[in-house]
Amino acid sequence: MSKELLQVVNIEEVCEPMLGGNEKGQTIKYVFHTVQKEEKKDEVDSTTTADTVDSSTDVKSGEADRGAWGGKLEFIFTCIGYAVGLGNVWRFPYLCYKNGGGAFLIPYVIMLAAVGLPLFYMELAFGQFASLGPISIWRINPLLKGLGYGMVLVSWLISLYYNVIIAHTLFYLGASMTPVLPWTTCGNAWNTNSCLPHNFSDNAVVPPLHPSNVTVNTPAEEYYKYFVLEQNDNIGELGSVNWKLALSLLGAWVIVGACLIRGIQSLGKVVYFTAVFPYIMLTVLLIRGVTLEGALDGIIYYLEPDFSRLGDPRVWSDAATQIFYSLSTCTGGLITMSSFNKFKNNCYKDSIIVALINCSTSIFAGLVIFSILGFMAKEKGVSVADVADGGPGLAFVVYPEAISRMPVSPLWAVFFFLMMATLGFGSQFSMVECVMSAFIDEFRSSLPGKLASTIFRLAIVIVSFLLGLPMVCKGGIYLLNLVDYSVGGFPLLVVGLIEIVALNWIYKFERFSEDIEMMLGMKPNLYWKICWKFVSPLVIGATIIFNMVLYKSPTYETASYPAAMLSVGWLIVMFPILVVPLYFMYKYCVEGGFSLLVYNMAPLPQWGPNKLEDRQKHSRYAPSEVQVDDIQKARPTFLFGSNASTMTADTRLSPASSVINSRVSLSPSVANV
């Protein structure tokens, strides 16, 4: 049996005889398929062998340039540091108490099993199998390479505002190294007449300077708002740069650049500290917290279940969104980290370990936070609900105020903000490395050698610092809150949905499971199949719909954003999403889709006067030896993208009718490759 080889040739043929005329300018662009028989076998085999050798050499060279982890623990610690971040401390505890306390753990664990763990394992296996970054890895489906760009854009956007938060943390860390914490007293240059010293509880008699009908502020609130942020009152105005925070942001990016200058070779050593130290600090703070009066009240408030909240769709939506946010899936980081693994590494076990550690850390951090908040509520004589908060308000107002009420408060402040900084950097390093590695992998030919890669890494750091400067302006907190609100929802969910459908429905679960078997020696069991093909896509799709139905415009405290800033927010939301269909259309058109469009918009050969005598009056419509019906049957076949590599066609001239007879078939020898 002859060996078939597909050759796809783009041809612009002048087909005057077939069209029934000889008028110039009538062209058809089509894809012409030929079959190479045995007489070409030697040439084909030699060419294929040469191409295979070259390809193998390129792959080995690429692997050598990319580097690899220095040990198993480096990968585990990096994944832990990446997944466990600031959200575990200030986002999860707040969502937990707001959505039913201990009852929130039920939807949280269900979403972990239905979405979080399947996506986590899928991305680790995906990246490890191909050993490529989140952009280049989409050679699995070239038309969807825009999904890789979307992932990297999400990571970059998150890293921009994440480092601003780390800059705030570094500023507080420096301010904590004093005998008296600066946010404990009024009477400072930044304070207003509304400042109430912390030694007055909410139930105490308000001093004469503070009438009962006037809202009072704590020293911690005024320190953060008027000294650290220098916040203006106009939510739509950025204002000038706050140079204190700009220098802190510069310091944060210098640390990131220094730790990533050599890629994973330097990152793998840093994570031994950034992944372990936060747990030491959390444990120290928990031990201190539970010994304070009122700590038990805070913990009970945190964990006491309110099962009536489980009937609220918002609770389930929050649980699903938090899983994405907490595990850091669908941002390309997990693909990047696992791509540096050995091919036979047991990523199945790694995914379960890291995911469970991450979720356990969220619960553990909640105990630390609410034990201190319970103490603070007891001190102020109010309910825990009155002092509980989430996000930056918890990290930079509520918790610092609670620490200021503790003995030896500067020491505990240093511990807390050092923990926050290491948690932040642990995630930030991986996010920025994802961005750097993705572009270096994709444009490796343009970045040859270590010097070019190093310069590119420095350029990413510099550009990122400049892009972060608007968020350290005097109105920058409004922009930071808007970016956080915009990036953490729809982009992650949409990217996750497309990714899981692409791997398990377009590429097919059966192929993907065989790829995993090559690495681990076993295929994914029924649980993974059900989740990847059905449960996870349905849950993500339902979450997107719920978020759309329950959508509320972002606000900062009680202030609403103007229309212009809301438009900016929607542009941030759509930017990583739109890049997927835009790249799809670009690739489709470049690979022949535009030619197909032009061809199908051209008139058919049957077009013209209906009667034969009328057609013969003009050479343009005069019939030829080829019958019109035969021409219609011979319309060319178009193949695009990677599909062309698995299809063969036999195109030959039929002696009976002297027309082109196209037959498209699947070549087993090619399809099994």
Side-chain angles (χ1 to χ4, degrees), residues 5-23:
L5 174 69
L6 170 68
Q7 289 185 338
V8 181
V9 184
N10 291 316
I11 301 176
E12 183 171 322
E13 283 283 345
V14 178
C15 303
E16 296 164 358
M18 293 181 62
L19 292 173
N22 55 7
E23 185 172 335

Side-chain angles (χ1 to χ4, degrees), residues 34 54 247 279 451 649:
T34 62
D54 292 342
L247 291 175
Y279 288 95
L451 179 60

Side-chain angles (χ1 to χ4, degrees), residues 13-235:
E13 283 283 345
V14 178
C15 303
E16 296 164 358
M18 293 181 62
L19 292 173
N22 55 7
E23 185 172 335
K24 294 183 179 180
Q26 297 180 356
T27 63
I28 298 179
K29 293 183 179 180
Y30 60 98
V31 181
F32 185 70
H33 308 277
T34 62
V35 178
Q36 293 289 339
K37 302 297 183 180
E38 287 289 348
E39 58 268 18
K40 296 289 185 179
K41 181 176 180 180
D42 295 338
E43 179 183 350
V44 170
D45 289 346
S46 61
T47 303
T48 304
T49 303
D51 291 343
T52 303
V53 172
D54 292 342
S55 176
S56 175
T57 304
D58 292 342
V59 171
K60 290 180 180 179
S61 175
E63 290 176 350
D65 292 338
R66 294 187 83 248
W69 297 112
K72 175 76 171 180
L73 283 179
E74 288 187 9
F75 170 66
I76 294 292
F77 283 162
T78 301
C79 286
I80 292 174
Y82 179 48
V84 178
L86 296 174
N88 297 75
V89 174
W90 73 24
R91 183 178 171 88
F92 176 83
Y94 176 72
L95 286 177
C96 194
Y97 104 83
K98 187 183 77 169
N99 291 316
F104 181 70
L105 297 179
I106 295 175
Y108 185 73
V109 171
I110 291 175
M111 291 301 175
L112 172 65
V115 180
L117 194 54
L119 278 176
F120 201 91
Y121 177 32
M122 185 186 76
E123 291 200 339
L124 288 188
F126 187 32
Q128 181 173 303
F129 180 80
S131 298
L132 293 169
I135 298 177
S136 300
I137 202 169
W138 287 100
R139 61 180 59 171
I140 191 176
N141 189 329
L143 287 176
L144 289 180
K145 182 178 280 190
L147 186 60
Y149 283 104
M151 289 178 171
V152 174
L153 287 173
V154 170
S155 276
W156 200 1
L157 287 171
I158 293 176
S159 70
L160 293 179
Y161 81 80
Y162 210 78
N163 227 25
V164 174
I165 298 172
I166 293 174
H168 292 182
T169 304
L170 293 178
F171 186 87
Y172 267 86
L173 178 61
S176 301
M177 298 178 183
T178 57
V180 179
L181 295 176
W183 57 84
T184 58
T185 61
C186 296
N188 300 291
W190 60 84
N191 289 126
T192 67
N193 291 333
S194 299
C195 182
L196 182 68
H198 80 271
N199 57 323
F200 287 91
S201 72
D202 284 17
N203 293 334
V205 177
V206 179
L209 291 177
H210 302 85
S212 58
N213 62 342
V214 175
T215 302
V216 295
N217 303 319
T218 65
E221 288 175 322
E222 295 205 346
Y223 178 78
Y224 182 56
K225 183 175 182 179
Y226 299 125
F227 182 72
V228 178
L229 298 179
E230 298 183 18
Q231 182 179 332
N232 60 37
D233 296 327
N234 187 353
I235 193 171

Side-chain angles (χ1 to χ4, degrees), residues 135-137 145 149 437-445 583:
I135 298 177
S136 300
I137 202 169
K145 182 178 280 190
Y149 283 104
S437 294
F439 285 108
I440 290 174
D441 282 347
E442 179 65 11
F443 303 104
R444 187 168 296 277
S445 60
Y583 188 89

Side-chain angles (χ1 to χ4, degrees), residues 239-393:
S240 59
V241 173
N242 180 341
W243 292 107
K244 299 191 298 293
L245 290 182
L247 291 175
S248 298
L249 181 64
L250 177 62
W253 277 112
V254 167
I255 293 173
V256 171
C259 292
L260 298 181
I261 194 68
R262 295 177 57 236
I264 63 164
Q265 282 78 13
S266 52
L267 174 60
K269 306 301 181 289
V270 174
V271 294
Y272 282 104
F273 175 75
T274 58
V276 175
F277 182 77
Y279 288 95
I280 298 174
M281 289 294 96
L282 280 172
T283 304
V284 171
L285 289 171
L286 178 62
I287 294 172
R288 178 59 182 135
V290 297
T291 61
L292 296 171
E293 187 179 1
L296 184 60
D297 295 335
I299 293 174
I300 291 175
Y301 189 86
Y302 167 53
L303 295 177
E304 185 178 13
D306 179 8
F307 293 105
S308 64
R309 298 283 292 134
L310 297 182
D312 185 355
R314 170 62 70 180
V315 174
W316 294 86
S317 177
D318 283 347
T321 305
Q322 174 60 19
I323 283 293
F324 275 83
Y325 192 91
S326 180
L327 289 176
S328 302
T329 56
C330 307
T331 59
L334 295 176
I335 294 175
T336 301
M337 298 304 109
S338 63
S339 70
F340 298 109
N341 278 337
K342 295 179 180 178
F343 187 76
K344 296 290 186 179
N345 176 64
N346 192 344
C347 57
Y348 171 71
K349 182 174 68 175
D350 295 343
S351 63
I352 294 177
I353 291 173
V354 176
L356 292 180
I357 288 177
N358 173 74
C359 296
S360 301
T361 302
S362 297
I363 300 172
F364 182 63
L367 296 174
V368 176
I369 297 299
F370 274 86
S371 64
I372 301 296
L373 294 183
F375 160 73
M376 180 178 175
K378 185 75 173 181
E379 282 278 297
K380 299 180 71 173
V382 298
S383 168
V384 177
D386 295 328
V387 297
D389 198 358

